[in-house]
């Protein structure tokens, strides 16, 4: 794999305006990510990692330049279109899991499927499959507060993959977890990348986590300062 | 669409706020039910009192039975007019009646005017669904009377076996309790025509004649004869028109009720809005997450408006349920013409229910609108950064 291009950024800048000031967050970024790549984004706090992730995931718009994902120029989509596009193409994994507390694990995973036209039965099957992939069979009826942090993040990952999206974005997915649990979550992401051929962009502070990715980008003050591609990513910890 | 269970469970999770808001909206809806239940009761009694083929014959120019007397000789001739409906026994359905407004003493010792109506046998058939529900009907010439159960409960001496004393010359023995389909007759004390004439010394005149036409064409002919013929020259007022003119207190109640309902609704709207603002702000990150997952602004709007509506509907339903026991309740007011006591039976009818539903929708929609719009306007990335 690795032939087709998955994510292309041309001359992308992002600025925020506060009062009379313009805050440049991303400056003249060019980037190309292949299909099926597992990309880690590193850099100091405030360097623009989350902002870059948001642009790629269609949550935010570039001030200048083009963001093209899976052949789609995101700048050309209306707000309603880009919302729909996200539902079809992107799975989200957050540092704080962001599960809906009043919904069970099953219902949380089912949530994005409510935006599709799938039958109840098909939804049920897809949720079961997603929960099996993340290793949470038997926990369907637990509420988030009845689960550990690692389990919550697995539910969140199941929710991210249940619609079979093209791209997974993860913002510090192991930031709130202990080392062992973090390792398990990273195992899972690696599995999704290798077995299910998901393109993954993951923001992390943890160099060990970054080693799981095939490529690591370093951002500093909104600029790309380093781009390391490994022959093969480090295998899962024993 | 965001599933309804999301809203229901959130309402359950913050059950204390939910309960408080329900209490507020419920009380407001209950109060509106109370006011408009009286309007419904009054309008119902006026509506059932007005039979389409019934005529009330009074002195021309008079608008009320209590002020409409004319000579008995004319009344006697009226009873023989052709075209009057007949009952199974062949008796004409027409009755001379005489009204008197003495002062009665309530159970608590206060005084008020009441209507005593001297009736003839046919009077009963001219009222909707007249029935004796306790004791027996009065016998003519014996100084007996019958009353409604509301009157029986309210006035001294109005219980079966009791005696209603109106001064030295007028007194009646209560022998039975009647109902008349919730019509205005239930506010009156019924005695024998001749007894009332004798007691009040008003022989030679009647207050009105009530009659029912056999059919539509007889009805028109009767009206013509009564109003046109030289021997009568009386007013033949259609019963529905007569009672429509008596509905002024209903108009007043409606006006006051509407004003109060509007003010209360606005108050409750703020309570609902407050609750929903809190809900939106504690769930900001959830909203951001759902938007990231692909739920549209419209989904969010429907979700939070829906939650506000459910919240207010729960309160509103509670308010209506709590108003149901009031159905056994009768409210005493004064007739605008005669100042006589009028019983209004509370009735959770179409007006009260539609006002309750309208208020609930207004509280839910307008109270929920601002918070829902705040949820809609949230920027996804800002909402996701929250907390
Ligand atoms: N909505 C915003 N308005 C103004 N400044 C913002 C906004 N969002 C992010 N920033 C700024 O952009 C910079 C990059 O933020 P972010 O992408 O979150 O960095 P990172 O994820 O690398 O820590 C920070 O300096 C942050 O303060
Ligand atoms: Mg960040």
């Amino acid at each position: 794999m690795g032939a087709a291009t998955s994510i292309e950024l041309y001359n992308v800048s992002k600025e925020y305006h506060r009062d009379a000031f313009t805050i440049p967050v991303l400056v003249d970024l060019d980037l190309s990510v292949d299909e099926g790549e597992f990309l880690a984004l590193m850099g100091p706090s405030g360097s623009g990692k989350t902002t870059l992730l948001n642009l790629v995931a269609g949550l935010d718009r570039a001030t200048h330049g083009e963001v093209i994902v899976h052949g789609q120029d995101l700048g050309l989509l209306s707000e309603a279109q880009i919302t729909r596009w996200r539902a079809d193409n992107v799975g989200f994994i957050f540092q704080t899991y962001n599960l809906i507390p009043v919904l069970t694990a099953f219902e949380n995973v089912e949530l994005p499927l409510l935006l599709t036209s799938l039958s109840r039965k098909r939804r049920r099957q897809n949720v079961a499959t997603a929960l099996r992939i993340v290793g949470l069979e038997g926990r369907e009826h637990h509420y988030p507060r009845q689960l550990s942090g690692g389990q919550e993040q697995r539910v969140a990952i199941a929710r991210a993959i249940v619609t079979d999206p093209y791209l997974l974005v993860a913002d510090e997915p192991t930031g709130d977890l202990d080392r062992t649990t973090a390792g398990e979550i990273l195992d899972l992401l690696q599995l999704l990348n290798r077995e299910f051929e998901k393109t993954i962009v993951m923001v992390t502070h943890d160099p060990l986590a970054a080693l799981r990715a095939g490529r690591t980008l370093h951002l500093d003050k909104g600029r790309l300062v380093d781009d390391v591609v490994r022959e093969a990513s480090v295998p899962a910890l024993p | 669409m965001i599933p309804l269970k999301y809203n229901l469970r959130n309402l359950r999770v913050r059950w204390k706020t939910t309960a408080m808001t329900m209490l507020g909206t419920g009380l407001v809806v209950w109060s509106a039910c109370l006011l408009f239940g009286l309007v419904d009761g009054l309008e119902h009694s006026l509506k059932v009192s007005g039979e389409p083929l019934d005529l009330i014959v009074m002195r021309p120019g008079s608008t009320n039975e209590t002020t409409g007397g004319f000579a008995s000789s004319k009344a006697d001739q009226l009873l023989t007019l052709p075209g009057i409906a007949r009952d199974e026994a062949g008796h004409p359905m027409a009755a001379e009646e005489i009204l008197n407004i003495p002062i009665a003493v309530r159970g608590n010792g206060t005084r008020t005017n009441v209507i005593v109506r001297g009736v003839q046998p046919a009077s009963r058939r001219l009222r909707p669904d007249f029935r004796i529900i306790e004791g027996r009907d009065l016998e003519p010439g014996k100084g007996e009377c019958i009353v409604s159960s509301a009157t029986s409960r309210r006035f001294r001496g109005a219980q079966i076996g009791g005696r209603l004393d109106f001064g030295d010359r007028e007194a009646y023995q209560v022998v039975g309790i009647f109902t008349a389909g919730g019509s205005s007759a239930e506010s009156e004390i019924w005695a024998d025509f001749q007894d009332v004439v004798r007691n009040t010394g008003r022989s030679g005149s009647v207050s009105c004649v009530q009659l029912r036409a056999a059919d539509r064409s007889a009805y028109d002919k009767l009206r013509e004869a009564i109003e046109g013929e030289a021997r009568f020259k009386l007013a033949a007022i259609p019963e529905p028109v007569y009672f429509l003119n008596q509905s002024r207190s209903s108009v007043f109640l409606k006006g006051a009720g509407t004003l109060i309902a509007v003010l209360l609704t606005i108050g409750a709207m703020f309570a609902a809005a407050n609750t929903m603002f809190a809900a939106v702000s504690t769930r900001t990150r959830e909203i951001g997450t759902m938007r990231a997952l692909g739920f549209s602004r419209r989904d969010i709007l429907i979700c939070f408006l829906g939650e506000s509506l459910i919240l207010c509907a729960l309160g509103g339903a509670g308010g209506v349920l709590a108003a149901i026991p009031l159905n056994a309740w009768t409210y005493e007011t004064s007739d605008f013409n005669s100042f006589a006591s009028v019983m209004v039976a509370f009735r959770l009818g179409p007006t009260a229910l539609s006002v309750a539903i309208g208020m609930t929708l207004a509280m839910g929609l307008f109270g929920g609108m601002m918070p829902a719009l705040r949820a809609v306007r949230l920027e996804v990335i800002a909402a996701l950064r929250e907390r």
Side-chain angles (χ1 to χ4, degrees):
Chain A
M1 67 175 79
T5 316
S6 167
I7 302 169
E8 300 156 83
L9 266 61
Y10 297 110
N11 215 6
V12 166
S13 301
K14 177 71 187 175
E15 296 161 357
Y16 284 109
H17 298 276
R18 186 156 294 169
D19 305 323
F21 298 100
T22 299
I23 309 162
V25 178
L26 295 175
V27 188
D28 288 342
L29 229 62
D30 285 295
L31 177 66
S32 168
V33 179
D34 285 342
E35 227 169 68
E37 257 193 292
F38 186 170
L39 181 77
L41 274 179
M42 295 194 74
S45 226
S47 58
K49 305 181 295 294
T50 297
T51 304
L52 177 55
L53 200 69
N54 288 343
L55 289 181
V56 166
L59 283 177
D60 202 357
R61 286 175 190 278
T63 314
H64 306 288
E66 284 171 52
V67 178
I68 299 169
V69 180
H70 202 25
Q72 174 66 56
D73 185 342
L74 299 187
L76 301 180
L77 297 178
S78 71
E79 146 120 27
Q81 286 170 326
I82 211 165
T83 303
R84 187 71 235 169
W85 178 86
R86 281 201 304 272
D88 294 338
N89 295 284
V90 189
F92 289 89
I93 301 161
F94 305 94
Q95 176 175 0
T96 48
Y97 328 130
N98 289 14
L99 297 178
I100 309 296
V102 298
L103 299 181
T104 62
F106 182 94
E107 290 160 349
N108 265 288
V109 177
E110 191 189 23
L111 202 53
L113 291 179
L114 299 177
L115 290 161
T116 68
S117 53
L118 291 184
S119 71
R120 201 184 169 81
K121 191 169 160 235
R122 280 298 303 277
R123 293 206 303 265
R124 202 167 274 280
Q125 289 168 349
N126 289 11
V127 172
T129 306
L131 283 170
R132 191 168 59 245
I133 291 171
V134 301
L136 274 184
E137 312 101 309
R139 302 276 173 171
E140 292 87 348
H141 302 300
H142 286 58
Y143 284 91
R145 66 177 140 64
Q146 298 168 320
L147 299 170
S148 69
Q151 288 171 330
E152 278 197 75
Q153 192 60 297
R154 284 170 189 273
V155 175
I157 292 172
R159 179 177 68 183
I161 61 172
V162 74
T163 53
D164 196 20
Y166 170 79
L167 171 69
L168 293 182
V169 295
D171 198 347
E172 307 194 33
T174 58
D176 276 12
L177 299 173
D178 62 63
R179 184 145 293 279
T180 316
T181 315
E184 289 165 7
I185 294 299
L186 291 165
D187 289 345
L188 188 52
L189 289 177
Q190 251 177 340
L191 174 86
L192 293 172
N193 174 242
R194 286 180 185 161
E195 300 291 320
F196 297 90
E197 302 178 355
K198 301 291 175 204
T199 304
I200 300 179
V201 182
M202 174 180 75
V203 170
T204 185
H205 270 114
D206 178 1
L208 276 177
L211 285 179
R212 302 295 199 97
R215 179 180 172 192
T216 303
L217 288 183
H218 287 266
L219 275 177
D220 194 15
K221 298 195 179 79
R223 289 169 202 276
L224 270 181
V225 291
D226 203 6
D227 187 347
V228 182
V229 183
R230 274 174 295 279
E231 280 292 305
S233 57
V234 172
L237 298 168
Chain B
M1 208 184 97
I2 298 163
L4 213 56
K5 61 190 163 203
Y6 170 74
N7 305 108
L8 294 176
R9 289 187 199 158
N10 269 302
L11 287 171
R12 200 178 61 199
V13 164
R14 54 186 165 93
W15 64 271
K16 276 184 197 160
T17 353
T18 302
M20 289 303 290
T21 316
M22 275 176 62
L23 190 70
T25 53
L27 268 174
V28 161
V29 169
W30 182 83
S31 329
C33 281
L34 191 123
L35 275 164
F36 284 92
L38 291 176
V39 171
D40 263 333
L42 203 59
E43 295 196 330
H44 177 74
S45 95
L46 296 174
K47 205 171 114 219
V48 299
S49 301
E51 275 282 332
L53 285 177
D54 282 9
L55 289 170
I56 301 178
V57 185
M58 301 188 295
R59 189 182 59 213
S62 157
T63 55
N64 190 274
E65 294 169 316
T66 55
T67 57
F70 56 91
S72 329
S73 55
K74 285 188 183 182
D76 294 343
Q77 289 183 60
L78 282 171
L79 299 194
T80 66
L81 279 175
I84 293 177
R86 289 179 181 268
D87 63 16
E88 299 81 9
H91 301 301
M93 292 179 71
E96 296 175 18
E97 296 180 354
I98 185 159
L99 275 77
N100 186 34
I101 307 185
I103 290 171
V105 184
R106 293 195 188 93
N108 62 11
T110 57
R111 287 156 187 277
T112 181
N113 289 105
V114 290
I115 292 180
V116 173
R117 186 183 291 266
V119 298
Q120 293 185 332
S123 297
R124 293 160 181 79
R125 294 294 302 270
L126 288 163
R127 303 305 189 285
D129 204 16
F130 176 92
R131 271 181 304 128
I132 298 290
I133 52 168
E134 218 185 311
R136 59 172 173 83
D137 205 342
L138 61 91
E139 283 178 28
K142 292 190 172 173
E144 294 176 348
C145 76
I146 50 177
V147 296
S148 71
S149 53
T151 305
S152 164
R153 264 183 272 122
R154 201 163 305 255
F155 293 103
R156 252 181 219 175
Q159 298 71 38
I160 291 185
R163 214 171 96 108
L164 282 163
D165 264 303
F166 306 120
D168 333 323
R169 297 190 305 147
E170 202 178 4
Y172 303 95
Q173 198 74 33
V174 181
V175 297
I177 308 285
F178 73 93
T179 60
S183 68
S184 63
E186 291 186 6
S187 297
E188 303 167 348
I189 294 160
W190 276 21
D192 173 48
F193 180 79
Q194 289 302 340
D195 286 353
V196 176
V197 168
R198 191 186 55 242
N199 288 344
T200 56
R202 278 162 53 189
S203 64
S205 80
V206 303
S207 295
C208 62
V209 167
Q210 311 263 344
L211 59 85
R212 179 166 304 167
D215 52 47
R216 202 67 229 175
S217 70
Y219 174 90
D220 294 332
K221 288 199 188 92
L222 277 167
R223 277 195 82 177
E224 253 169 59
I226 296 166
E227 302 200 325
E229 285 182 25
R231 58 177 171 146
F232 296 128
K233 287 281 180 212
L234 293 167
I237 301 174
E239 223 177 44
V241 173
Y242 177 81
F243 283 105
L244 197 68
N245 289 335
Q246 308 304 309
S247 63
R248 260 181 290 172
S249 44
S250 150
V251 171
F252 169 77
L253 259 181
K254 255 189 196 164
T258 305
L259 184 70
I260 292 171
V262 166
L263 293 178
L264 286 176
T265 303
I266 291 173
M269 235 150 64
F270 279 102
N274 202 40
T275 307
M276 290 309 297
F277 270 127
V280 170
S281 87
T282 55
R283 283 191 258 154
T284 297
R285 197 149 51 96
E286 277 174 46
I287 295 166
T289 304
M290 289 192 285
R291 296 267 288 119
L293 293 182
F295 287 96
S296 65
R297 289 187 195 269
R298 218 178 99 222
D299 291 325
I300 301 293
L301 180 76
I302 292 171
C303 174
F304 281 89
L305 265 188
E307 188 163 320
S308 167
L309 273 174
I310 294 170
L311 180 65
C312 292
L314 287 173
V320 171
L321 285 179
I324 287 176
L326 294 174
N327 265 327
W329 175 60
T330 343
Y331 171 77
E332 189 189 337
T333 177
S334 276
D335 180 73
F336 267 66
N337 297 299
S338 60
F339 299 104
S341 156
V342 171
M343 305 294 179
V344 181
F346 178 88
R347 188 166 191 272
L348 205 52
T351 318
L353 286 177
S354 45
V355 166
I357 291 169
M359 285 172 77
T360 303
L361 287 178
M363 291 184 294
L365 283 179
F366 294 115
M369 189 52 85
M370 296 301 289
L373 284 177
R374 176 180 289 182
V376 164
R377 289 207 195 95
L378 286 173
E379 284 300 327
V380 184
I381 50 170
L384 284 172
R385 280 179 203 268
E386 196 83 356
R387 273 192 310 147

